[in-house]
Amino acid sequence: MAANPKKSFIPLFLILSLSSLFLFSLYNFSLPQFQSSQTSFNQNQCTTPTSPNHTNANFVLTIKVLAFDRIASLSRCLRSLSNAHYHNDRVNLHIFIDHFKITDDSTDNFDGKLSESRRILDFVDGFVWEFGEKLVLYRTGNVGLQAQWLESWWPSSDDEFAFVVEDDLEVSPLYYGFLKGLIVNYYYNASNFSPSIYGASLQRPRFVPGKHGNKMQLDSGTRVFLYQLVGTWGQLLFPRPWKEFRFWYDAHKAKGIKPFLQGMVTTGWYKKMGERIWTPWFIKFIHSRGYFNLYTNFSHERALSISHRDAGVNYGKTAGPDSYLLDEKSLDFNLLEMQPLSKLKWFDFCFGQVLPNIVVRSSNELGAVVHSQQKLDSVILVTLQKVSEAVTRNLLCHFERLNIQNYILMGPKSNFLLDLARRGHPVIDVGQFFDHMKNQKLIAFQEISMELTKEVSVASYIVKMILELGYSTWVLDGNMLPVSGDIFFNSTNPNYDFYVGKSSKALLVRNSLSARKNWVDDFIYKVAMMAGSLKSKDLLSVDDRNFVYVVAKVLEQKGVKIKRIDNMGFGVNINTSNADQTSLGDGKKIIFWSFEMRLDLIQKRLEELGMWIVDGDSSCNAVVCHQS
Ligand SMILES: *[C@@H]1O[C@H](CO)[C@@H](O)[C@H](O)[C@H]1NC(C)=O
Ligand SMILES: *[C@@H]1O[C@H](CO)[C@@H](O)[C@H](O)[C@H]1NC(C)=O
Ligand SMILES: *[C@@H]1O[C@H](CO)[C@@H](O)[C@H](O)[C@H]1NC(C)=O
Ligand SMILES: *[C@@H]1O[C@H](CO)[C@@H](O)[C@H](O)[C@H]1NC(C)=O
Ligand SMILES: *[C@@H]1O[C@H](CO)[C@@H](O)[C@H](O)[C@H]1NC(C)=O
Ligand SMILES: CC(=O)N[C@H]1CO[C@H](CO)[C@@H](O)[C@@H]1O
């Protein structure tokens, strides 16, 4: 076979271990068994966190072996698969054999290749698979790894799972029992199900694709964990996310959109190798959806699937196994003991830890959140009441870019808010928190229905709690963007307790004894009443109907000393000023805009400033890693 002389120019182990690198035309082939399933499919899986509605009675696993021209590897792989324990379950085996590339080069040894293909097919035909259906697909031309992977499966139901295995892998006899355990525990058990999980990788995790990402470090208690990256050495795929990926891939391919994601090593691979590989597509999809993969961490570099890294395109000469196989002889713990999902750790592409599904609905939930994320002396509370989804997403990309982690989002309950929580952004459900405050009689309210009053009451109550926990609090409206991160890192100037930006809708309450003395229940009550009274004042502009305006008014009435920050060059209104990138660099802390500014105008203006950093997938156009 034609080995690439430049084989070691990048760490290829993630993306290719078949020798089909050069050949990448996509053919229209189909397998009748997998085609045109009419199962109803909801493209918005991410917002409907429901468990598949069945038991594992119908569960079926199909192994997809992707092979090319390495008969020795393939036979080792198939032998290991048939030596595994299937506990009387029906397990299907589908073998996809890519064709060699037909070239015009008369020096190519076609006779040799033809007879090698023949040997492989004879071997596969003679290979006995007694656990279920065996099916062989022999390509008529070279399709390459991308099509081998993508066309290997179209799930026919929510109970069908695929385990994709490239030909130089070897699996442990225990692998199936473990995979089934994962499926039973994390897919069929509703209390451990998460719509974020797209499958499981049995390879030993070693690679962090985010540039300048963290070193992989896991403690010995972490035997199963979640990580965004796909593994290509023994990957279990769940049906719904895979279908969703295929639809997404189709849409992007059809529109000529490339899977570029700045800050990722894999994007560099894509730029070099294009459609010969598939992982950059899948990685981009996973990033945009905020999905995760299950992984194992067994001691002594052991895994249930290992790659022999046989000579081929990636490896000029055989590199040998990447890990040690965990088999019955070396098993020294209970493999099937699986922790509840809530105990597992989640890691992003930077191998930074993610804390998903933090939704604060009551006061006792707040403390844990604040403490868990605080390395600094302040908390940023962002109100999302009148903020569009796109603007919110863009804001969160800036937080990631600037390494701002000490924030909590606050908004009315919506699928969007819950989806933000699923992706690891802590949120406060204003409606539920308000009901909690009423039910617990934390504060004596009259019957309040106005959204503004609810938001203002909850925000001011939460500020009080954060002060009591010992932190300063920023309250910011989501219609803003930080220009740099430093403002939020230093709120220690002791001259004032309250910093108010009326037009920028920003408030800083400094953690001090005198601030806490002012910010008491009676103050919160007055703030709520003031918010209620704004309803009748129709002269007030929309921009004044917000938390900061109300708080400033009450503070003024009380005669409390406040520091105005609008006239300190703190913020710039991007609608009314012609600020450009250079003038923003000039010590400005935030930019903001009116509630009334239309989304297309906001986007246009932010694009001009280079501050619109979400892409067509509504996700950040870059992964930015920070050492943690
Ligand atoms: C696949 O089939 C469609 C319609 O049958 C056709 O338009 C398209 O060109 C085909 N693609 C390839 C790569 O042959
Ligand atoms: C799914 O589960 C829900 C609640 O557990 C039940 O009401 C519904 O009938 C189930 N649907 C199907 C198709 O089994
Ligand atoms: C489902 O998961 C929960 C939490 O881990 C566990 O307590 C329960 O026993 C599991 N149910 C089944 C049927 O295994
Ligand atoms: C924070 O601000 C205060 C006062 O402005 C200053 O004295 C202090 O050095 C700053 N701290 C940091 C870490 O920048
Ligand atoms: C934006 O600014 C222009 C003037 O520069 C003004 O006419 C317009 O009303 C403003 N729009 C909003 C939504 O503030
Ligand atoms: C990558 C990593 O941190 N692996 C760890 C997995 O768990 C063992 C203990 O069981 C650690 O020693 C490894 O460092």
Side-chain angles (χ1 to χ4, degrees), residues 101-159:
K101 192 181 184 188
I102 299 165
T103 63
D104 296 332
D105 185 349
S106 57
T107 63
D108 264 356
N109 175 11
F110 287 126
D111 285 334
K113 287 181 180 172
L114 286 165
S115 68
E116 185 61 18
S117 298
R118 195 54 201 261
R119 272 192 348 121
I120 289 180
L121 287 160
D122 285 346
F123 170 75
V124 167
D125 283 346
F127 180 77
V128 177
W129 183 255
E130 56 193 32
F131 310 101
E133 162 197 64
K134 183 182 90 177
L135 184 145
V136 179
L137 186 115
Y138 179 44
R139 310 270 184 180
T140 55
N142 189 278
V143 299
L145 264 187
Q146 191 181 101
Q148 280 274 78
W149 271 86
L150 268 62
E151 295 178 5
S152 69
W153 191 37
W154 185 259
S156 56
S157 81
D158 284 348
D159 295 309

Side-chain angles (χ1 to χ4, degrees), residues 250-279:
D250 259 7
H252 284 66
K253 264 282 163 91
K255 293 175 192 159
I257 305 167
K258 305 285 185 219
F260 292 148
L261 187 52
Q262 292 166 42
M264 293 283 282
V265 172
T266 46
T267 301
W269 298 353
Y270 181 76
K271 286 180 177 166
K272 284 204 182 86
M273 285 179 278
E275 303 313 319
R276 285 173 287 182
I277 55 179
W278 74 286
T279 42

Side-chain angles (χ1 to χ4, degrees), residues 25-29:
S25 49
L26 283 163
Y27 281 73
N28 279 342
F29 89 96

Side-chain angles (χ1 to χ4, degrees), residues 433-470:
F433 200 99
F434 185 79
D435 292 344
H436 159 78
M437 287 166 67
K438 257 188 2 194
N439 295 341
Q440 299 293 308
K441 301 199 170 36
L442 295 175
I443 260 161
F445 284 124
Q446 292 164 357
E447 206 46 49
I448 291 169
S449 59
M450 252 178 83
E451 284 305 319
L452 174 66
T453 317
K454 280 190 186 176
E455 185 193 59
V456 161
S457 315
V458 170
S460 45
Y461 187 77
I462 283 177
V463 170
K464 174 177 171 248
M465 288 191 61
I466 295 175
L467 288 173
E468 282 166 1
L469 291 166

Side-chain angles (χ1 to χ4, degrees), residues 189 191-192 340:
N189 184 337
S191 59
N192 280 324

Side-chain angles (χ1 to χ4, degrees), residues 205 216-222 297-300:
M216 270 195 177
Q217 262 168 341
L218 297 161
D219 51 49
S220 54
T222 301
N297 172 52
F298 303 134
S299 56
H300 310 300

Side-chain angles (χ1 to χ4, degrees), residues 26-27 107 109 191 197 224 406 420 517 532 578 590-591 605:
L26 283 163
Y27 281 73
T107 63
N109 175 11
S191 59
I197 301 179
V224 173
N406 51 328
L420 293 177
K517 270 192 182 144
N578 359 323
I590 67 165
I591 58 170
R605 203 59 188 98

